[in-house]
Amino acid sequence: MKRIGVYTSGGDAPGMNACLRAVVRTAVYHGLEVYGIKRGYNGMINGEIFKMESSSVSNIVQLGGTMLKSARSKEFMTKEGRQKAYDQLQKFGIEGLVAIGGNGTFTGAKLFFEEYGIPTLGAPGTIDNDLYGTDYTIGYDTAVNTALDAIDKIRDTADSHERVFFIEVMGRDSGYIAVPCAIGGGAEIVMIPEAKVTIESIIDTLRAGWNRMKTSSIIIIAEGEIEGGATKVATKVMEALPQMDARVSIIGHVQRGGSPTAFDRLLASRLGIACVVGLIEGKKNMMAGTINSSLVYTPFEETITKKKGLSPNFTQMVEMLSI
Amino acid sequence: MKRIGVYTSGGDAPGMNACLRAVVRTAVYHGLEVYGIKRGYNGMINGEIFKMESSSVSNIVQLGGTMLKSARSKEFMTKEGRQKAYDQLQKFGIEGLVAIGGNGTFTGAKLFFEEYGIPTLGAPGTIDNDLYGTDYTIGYDTAVNTALDAIDKIRDTADSHERVFFIEVMGRDSGYIAVPCAIGGGAEIVMIPEAKVTIESIIDTLRAGWNRMKTSSIIIIAEGEIEGGATKVATKVMEALPQMDARVSIIGHVQRGGSPTAFDRLLASRLGIACVVGLIEGKKNMMAGTINSSLVYTPFEETITKKKGLSPNFTQMVEMLSI
Amino acid sequence: MKRIGVYTSGGDAPGMNACLRAVVRTAVYHGLEVYGIKRGYNGMINGEIFKMESSSVSNIVQLGGTMLKSARSKEFMTKEGRQKAYDQLQKFGIEGLVAIGGNGTFTGAKLFFEEYGIPTLGAPGTIDNDLYGTDYTIGYDTAVNTALDAIDKIRDTADSHERVFFIEVMGRDSGYIAVPCAIGGGAEIVMIPEAKVTIESIIDTLRAGWNRMKTSSIIIIAEGEIEGGATKVATKVMEALPQMDARVSIIGHVQRGGSPTAFDRLLASRLGIACVVGLIEGKKNMMAGTINSSLVYTPFEETITKKKGLSPNFTQMVEMLSI
Amino acid sequence: MKRIGVYTSGGDAPGMNACLRAVVRTAVYHGLEVYGIKRGYNGMINGEIFKMESSSVSNIVQLGGTMLKSARSKEFMTKEGRQKAYDQLQKFGIEGLVAIGGNGTFTGAKLFFEEYGIPTLGAPGTIDNDLYGTDYTIGYDTAVNTALDAIDKIRDTADSHERVFFIEVMGRDSGYIAVPCAIGGGAEIVMIPEAKVTIESIIDTLRAGWNRMKTSSIIIIAEGEIEGGATKVATKVMEALPQMDARVSIIGHVQRGGSPTAFDRLLASRLGIACVVGLIEGKKNMMAGTINSSLVYTPFEETITKKKGLSPNFTQMVEMLSI
C-alpha cells in the first residue's frame, strides 16, 4: 500500500482533528502518501480530495470540529454514488481508507468494501459512546465534561434559588453521557433509556425531599429516555408539585464542540495510529478501539450489529450518592 | 450607624458572592456589625438573619450563585409583609441595609424606606446589564463570556457540518448580552429588542451567503426580540430556505452561573465597598454604580424608571464584521 | 461496624471532595455513622474530629482541594503520636477508617493497623498516578487537563513568536503526566524519568527542525527526569543553539487544584463507595482501585512496595506524531 | 487610499486575531484592498506580504496568538532596514498601515512615518495595559482572567494545606495585572511597582495572621516590583517565618495565550475598525484607544512618552478586603 485516504463523516466529535493528525503523521512516518477527503462520502463522490503533508495537520490537535468537514451523504447510499466514489479513488490512486465516524460511516465503508474491495479501517468518532468494540469513543470524554461544566453552572442557580432543574443531555439511545453527568453533577435522579424511572417515582422523590426541606434538586435526563425528554418530564412532574419552582435546561449542541480533553486527544492519537498501522499490516473492514486499555480491532459487521451495555451499577450509584 | 444587614434578591448573578464579601469586610474594617439576611425579603420577613464575620466570607470570591440564597417575595409586596420585615430588623437592631439585586429588589427597598425609613443602598446584581445608573451590572461580563464560550463550541459544529445555527441568549428586554456575543462570536446577524431585523432580511442574507458558497452561519437572537425567540425565527426562516441545514440552540440558564470573571469580581468588590461607605456617609435610597469607571450613586427612583440605551453602533459593527 | 472515620492526607488532589462525599453518603446509606477527621493524621492526634451528615457534603463534588484539609504529620511517625491518635479514635468510638491519599498516607495506615488493629481502607488520591494497584489515581485526569490547557495557551505564543518552549510538568518520579501532555499538546520531545533522552538528541532534533524552517517547538519535561528540570535542560540546549529564541515555563502548583474532571469525579465516587462497602465486608489494610475498569483491592503492602510501569509505546508515539 | 497593510508586532496578545479580522473586513467593507505583513517589521523588510480577503480571517476571532505571527526586529532599527521595508511597501503599492502592538511597535511606526511619510494607525495590543491613550489594551482582560483562573486553582491547594503562596504575575513595569488578580483572587497582599510594600510589612502581616490561626495566605507579586520577584520575596520572608509552609508559583507565559475574552474581542474589533476608518479619514501617526468607553486617537508621540497611572485606591481595596 502506497497511498491512503482519510475522511471524517457523520456527527462531528471533539478529537476528530487529533485523530486526523495521527493518521497523517503515522502515514508520513511509514512512508505512505496520504490524501484528505472533504465532507465525508460527499467529497469522495465529488473528488474533493487533496494531498496532505505532515505540516497540513500542524496546530490542530487542540481544535474541536473537523478540518475535513463532515456530512451525511444520501448519494453514497445509492449504487451510482458509490461507483462515482470508487472512480474518484481510482483517479487519485488511493488504495486504502481511514474512516473517522460512527456506525453510519462504517455501514457505508462495509458496503463499499464488499462492492469494490477498498480496504477501510475505522476510528470511532462520536460523542455518544454507543459503539460496540471500544470502551470509549473519540469525543465522549469531552462531551461529558462540557455537559458537566454546564450542570455545575446551573447548580449555582438551582442552589441559590432553591429550584428543581430538569437538565437534558445528549447520548442518542444510551445513557452514557447522562450517567457520569448525574454522578459527577450531584444529581438526585437520572433518567436513561436503559433503566425505567417512572414519573411517579420522580414525584415521590421530590416530594420526600420537599418535606425534609430539600428544595433544590437536579434531574438529569438523557435525550433518548422513553418519556420524551426534559420538557415533557418537567411538565408532568410539576403538575403534581405546583409548589416547587422548576426550570428546564437543554444543554444541546455545545456538547458536540470545544477543544478535546487530554483523554480524547490521547485516544484519538492511539486510534489514528492504529488505523494506519493496521492498513499496512493488511487489516480491513474493522474498527480500531480500546478495550481495557488494549488496542482491539473489531469487524464493522459486529460494531454495526452488536450493542454495548451500560452497567446497571451506575444508576444505583446515583441513588446512593444523592441520599 | 452600628449594625447593617445585607441580602441578595431577584435573579442570581455571578459576582454576588464577591460583592457580599466586600460588604462584610468593609463593614468589619470600619467597625460596623454586619448581619446576613437569607432568601431576600422572604428571609427578612421570617427572621432568617445571622451575624457575619470576616471569616464568614472567606473563599467565596470565586463562587457563582449567592451564599445568602435569593428569592422573589410576594409577601413583601404586601403591607403586612413589610411590617413583619421591619419588626425583624428592629429585633436585630439593624439600622441600614445593603441590597444586592435588580430593579425588583430596589423597588422593594424604596417602598420600605418610604414607609419605615430604613436607609438602603443597592448594588446592581443582574446578568442583564439593563439598569440605569451604571455602565455595567455585576454578573453581566461573566454571562457574556459564558454565552460566548458556548457559541465558540457551537461554531465548531456549525463549521464542520456547514450548518446555520440560531442561537438564543438571555438579556430580558435588551440586547446587551446578544451584541457582544454576536461581535465576539463571529455571527452574521444579531436580533435584539432595540433594533428591528425582519425575517425577510435574514432570509436574504442567508440566501446571498448560500449563493456564494457560504453555508455556515450563526445568528444570535436575544430572548427579548419581537419575533419570539430562536425557535420561532428558525421555523420561519427555514420555510423559505429548505435547502439549508439549520439547528436551534438556546443557551439558557448556564448564563446565570459559574465563577465570576475578573471584571465582575472587581466591579462587585468596588460596589460592595461603595454601599457600606455610602451608608456610613449617610447616603440612602440609591444604587451604587460605575459610569466611565467612576463611582456614581443614583437614586432608586431613577434606576427604576429610566432606561439605559444600547449604542446603535453595535449592530452596524456586526454587519460590517460579517462581510 | 457502626462508626467510621474519614480523612485526607498528603498532597491534595482534585476529586478528594467527590471521594469524601461518596464515603459519607455511602456510610449513611448503609446505616453507619461517619466522622470527619481534619488535617490528616495531625487532626487524628489532636482530636479534630466531627460528626458528618449527608448534608455535610452537599455541593462539594465539584470543588478542588479538600474540605477536611490535608497535612503531612511528623508526629504520627512516632510511637507517641500514634498512641494519641488511637486514644482519640477510641474516645470517639471509631472502629474503621477511610484514608484518602497516597503512599505516605497508606504507610501510616498500615503501621497503625499493625500496632492497634484499626482496619483502614484507602482511596488513591494523588495527581501523580504513581500508585500500584490502580490504573488511575484520583486527581490525575484533572492535573493532565490543567497542564494541557496551559500548554495550549503557551503554544499560541510559541507559534506566534516562533519560539522553543521548555515546559515542565509535575509527576514526581514518573512521566504519567508528561506523556499525555506531550501527545495531546503536540510536543516535539518528551523527557521522562522512565526513558533517557540526551541533551545531544534534543539539540539534534531542534537543529534539524531549524534547518527545515521549523522554528517553533515544544519540549515537555517531567519534573523527575534526570537532567534536573526545564531550566537546566533549556540552559544546556540553548548554549548549543544560540540562534533560537527559547523560553522556560514551569506549570507548577496549578496542576494540584481546580474543579475535578468528570473522569475524576466518577472514579472518586466509585472508590469512595468501595472503601465503605469494603469496610462493611470486613476488608482492611488495602487500597481500592480500578484495573481495566474493574474494582480491585490491593494490600497496602503491595501499593507501597511495588512500582507501576509506564508503557514505552508512549514515547514512540510522541516521536511519530511530531514528525 | 486604495491599499493598506496590516501587521502584528512585539509581544503577542489574545485578541490580536480579532483585531486583524476587524481590520481586514472593515477595509473590504469600505472598498480598500488589504495586505497582511508577516512577522512584523521583519516581514515588511523581507517582503512577506500577501493579499487578504474577507475569508482569510474567517473563524479566527476566538483564537489566541496572531495568524500573522509576531517578532521584534533589530534590522528595522537601522536606516537600511527601514529603506528595505519602504521599498517593499512601494512594490506592493501599500499606502497606509495598521500596526497592532505596543510602544516598541509604535516607535518604529513613528520613525518610519517621519522618514518615509507612510501613514500608520496603531491598535494597542499588549497584555500589560501600560499604554497611555487607552483605558484598556487588547489582551489585558484575557491575561487577567487567565492569571486569576490559575490563582483560583492554587488557592484550592493553599487552603487545603494551609500554606502561604507567593504568586508572580506579569505586567512589566506596572501593577495592572497584579491588582485585579489580588482583589479578585482574595489575596492578602499585593506588591506592585507603583507602591512600595516592604518585606517587613509582609512579615508583620503574615505573623499577625499566623497568631490568629490564619495559616493560608496568598501574596500577589507583579514581575516589575522592586524586590525582584516572587522567588526573592519568598526567600526573604520565609527566613523570618520558618514555621510557615510557603510555596512560590510563577504564572508565566500562559498569560500571553488562550482564547480572548468577550471584552477583548469587542475592544479589538472596535479598535481594528477605528484604525481603518481613521486611515480613510486621513488620520496618521496615532493610536486608537478607548477612554471612558469613547473612541480616542492619541499621537504615537504621546503614547510613547506619557505614562498611564494606576489608581492608588486599588491597593487600599486589597488591604480592606483581606481583613
Side-chain angles (χ1 to χ4, degrees), chain D residues 284-296:
Chain D
K284 60 189 83 166
N285 228 358
M286 294 196 282
M287 183 189 85
T290 62
I291 296 180
N292 289 338
S293 301
S294 295
L295 192 62
V296 175

Side-chain angles (χ1 to χ4, degrees), chain C residues 4-312:
Chain C
I4 64 170
V6 57
Y7 57 100
T8 52
S9 172
D12 63 330
M16 281 186 160
N17 278 324
C19 188
L20 176 63
R21 169 178 174 263
V23 168
V24 170
R25 295 207 167 163
T26 305
V28 171
Y29 185 87
H30 286 292
L32 297 181
E33 288 185 322
V34 58
Y35 280 71
I37 301 166
K38 295 196 112 178
R39 297 178 177 76
Y41 293 113
N42 280 344
M44 202 186 287
I45 290 168
N46 300 325
E48 295 185 90
I49 298 172
F50 65 105
K51 182 131 195 285
M52 298 186 81
E53 311 292 347
S54 179
S55 61
S56 311
V57 290
S58 285
N59 220 359
I60 66 164
V61 70
Q62 81 280 16
L63 300 180
T66 157
M67 66 169 283
L68 289 182
K69 301 192 187 295
S70 187
R72 296 180 209 275
S73 173
K74 283 181 192 158
E75 195 175 357
F76 195 77
M77 291 298 104
T78 67
K79 183 83 184 116
E80 294 70 28
R82 290 192 296 276
Q83 179 65 49
K84 283 190 204 167
Y86 177 71
D87 293 345
Q88 291 286 1
L89 295 184
Q90 286 296 96
K91 191 173 120 192
F92 283 91
I94 291 169
E95 302 163 279
L97 292 170
V98 175
I100 307 170
N103 263 335
T105 308
F106 301 155
T107 303
K110 181 171 168 284
L111 207 55
F112 201 46
F113 175 76
E114 287 161 4
E115 292 175 351
Y116 297 101
I118 304 275
T120 302
L121 289 183
T126 163
I127 63 164
D128 300 318
N129 199 32
D130 57 356
L131 283 173
Y132 182 86
T134 192
D135 287 341
Y136 298 105
T137 55
I138 298 164
Y140 169 64
D141 186 61
T142 305
V144 171
N145 277 289
T146 299
L148 193 51
D149 184 57
I151 294 165
D152 282 350
K153 287 185 167 66
I154 292 171
R155 197 180 39 234
D156 285 344
T157 281
D159 187 59
S160 295
H161 279 278
E162 306 181 284
R163 279 178 180 153
V164 177
F165 264 92
F166 295 84
I167 304 177
E168 184 175 309
V169 298
M170 286 188 163
R172 292 178 65 186
D173 301 324
S174 94
Y176 275 111
I177 292 180
V179 160
C181 283
I183 294 171
E188 274 67 25
I189 298 164
V190 64
M191 297 180 77
I192 58 175
E194 292 89 340
K196 175 77 184 155
V197 174
T198 64
I199 298 288
E200 287 67 35
S201 72
I202 298 177
I203 293 169
D204 289 347
T205 301
L206 290 179
R207 187 182 283 128
W210 177 268
N211 289 339
R212 60 173 204 272
M213 304 294 289
K214 178 171 176 44
T215 49
S216 159
S217 290
I218 287 177
I219 297 162
I220 302 294
I221 298 166
E223 61 178 345
E225 62 73 46
I226 63 160
E227 293 289 347
T231 308
K232 286 189 184 166
V233 170
T235 305
K236 289 181 196 170
V237 171
M238 287 303 113
E239 272 169 23
L241 298 167
Q243 71 275 35
M244 299 191 89
D245 191 10
R247 294 288 186 284
V248 171
S249 187
I250 295 168
I251 306 291
H253 284 86
V254 292
Q255 294 166 87
R256 298 203 167 279
S259 185
T261 59
F263 185 95
D264 274 333
R265 297 189 202 183
L266 194 58
L267 178 68
S269 299
R270 280 188 78 184
L271 298 183
I273 293 171
C275 284
V276 175
V277 170
L279 279 179
I280 292 171
E281 291 171 350
K283 292 194 173 66
K284 61 188 86 164
N285 229 0
M286 294 195 283
M287 182 189 84
T290 62
I291 296 179
N292 289 339
S293 302
S294 294
L295 192 62
V296 175
Y297 295 89
T298 304
F300 286 149
E301 178 67 36
E302 289 182 47
T303 71
I304 295 164
T305 55
K306 293 192 181 172
K307 215 173 144 50
K308 183 164 67 173
L310 180 67
S311 164

Side-chain angles (χ1 to χ4, degrees), chain D residues 213-226:
Chain D
M213 305 294 289
K214 177 171 177 42
T215 49
S216 158
S217 291
I218 286 177
I219 298 163
I220 302 295
I221 297 167
E223 60 177 347
E225 63 72 46
I226 63 161

Side-chain angles (χ1 to χ4, degrees), chain B residues 31-189:
Chain B
L32 297 181
E33 287 184 325
V34 58
Y35 279 71
I37 301 167
K38 294 196 112 177
R39 298 179 177 76
Y41 293 114
N42 280 343
M44 202 185 287
I45 290 168
N46 299 325
E48 295 183 89
I49 299 172
F50 65 106
K51 183 129 195 285
M52 298 186 82
E53 310 292 347
S54 180
S55 60
S56 311
V57 291
S58 285
N59 220 359
I60 67 163
V61 70
Q62 80 281 17
L63 299 181
T66 157
M67 67 170 282
L68 289 182
K69 300 192 188 294
S70 187
R72 296 182 208 277
S73 173
K74 284 181 192 157
E75 197 176 355
F76 195 77
M77 290 300 104
T78 68
K79 184 84 184 109
E80 293 71 28
R82 291 192 297 275
Q83 180 65 49
K84 284 189 202 167
Y86 178 71
D87 294 345
Q88 292 286 0
L89 295 184
Q90 287 295 97
K91 193 172 118 191
F92 283 92
I94 291 169
E95 302 164 280
L97 292 170
V98 175
I100 307 170
N103 263 334
T105 308
F106 301 156
T107 303
K110 179 169 170 285
L111 207 55
F112 201 48
F113 175 76
E114 287 162 3
E115 292 174 351
Y116 296 100
I118 304 275
T120 303
L121 289 183
T126 163
I127 64 164
D128 300 318
N129 199 32
D130 56 356
L131 282 174
Y132 182 87
T134 193
D135 288 342
Y136 298 104
T137 55
I138 298 163
Y140 169 66
D141 186 60
T142 305
V144 170
N145 277 288
T146 300
L148 193 52
D149 184 57
I151 293 165
D152 281 351
K153 288 185 166 67
I154 291 171
R155 196 179 39 235
D156 285 345
T157 281
D159 188 59
S160 295
H161 278 278
E162 305 181 285
R163 279 178 180 154
V164 178
F165 264 92
F166 295 84
I167 304 178
E168 185 175 310
V169 299
M170 286 187 164
R172 292 177 66 185
D173 301 325
S174 94
Y176 275 110
I177 293 179
V179 161
C181 283
I183 293 171
E188 275 67 26
I189 297 164

Side-chain angles (χ1 to χ4, degrees), chain A residues 71-89:
Chain A
R72 296 181 208 275
S73 173
K74 283 181 193 158
E75 197 176 355
F76 195 77
M77 290 299 105
T78 68
K79 183 85 185 111
E80 293 72 27
R82 291 192 296 275
Q83 179 66 49
K84 284 190 203 168
Y86 178 69
D87 293 345
Q88 293 286 0
L89 295 184

Side-chain angles (χ1 to χ4, degrees), chain A residues 25 54 152 184 262 265 321 323, chain C residues 25 54 152 184 265 321 323:
Chain A
R25 297 208 164 160
S54 180
D152 282 351
R265 297 189 203 184
L321 296 178
I323 199 170
Chain C
R25 295 207 167 163
S54 179
D152 282 350
R265 297 189 202 183
L321 296 179
I323 200 171

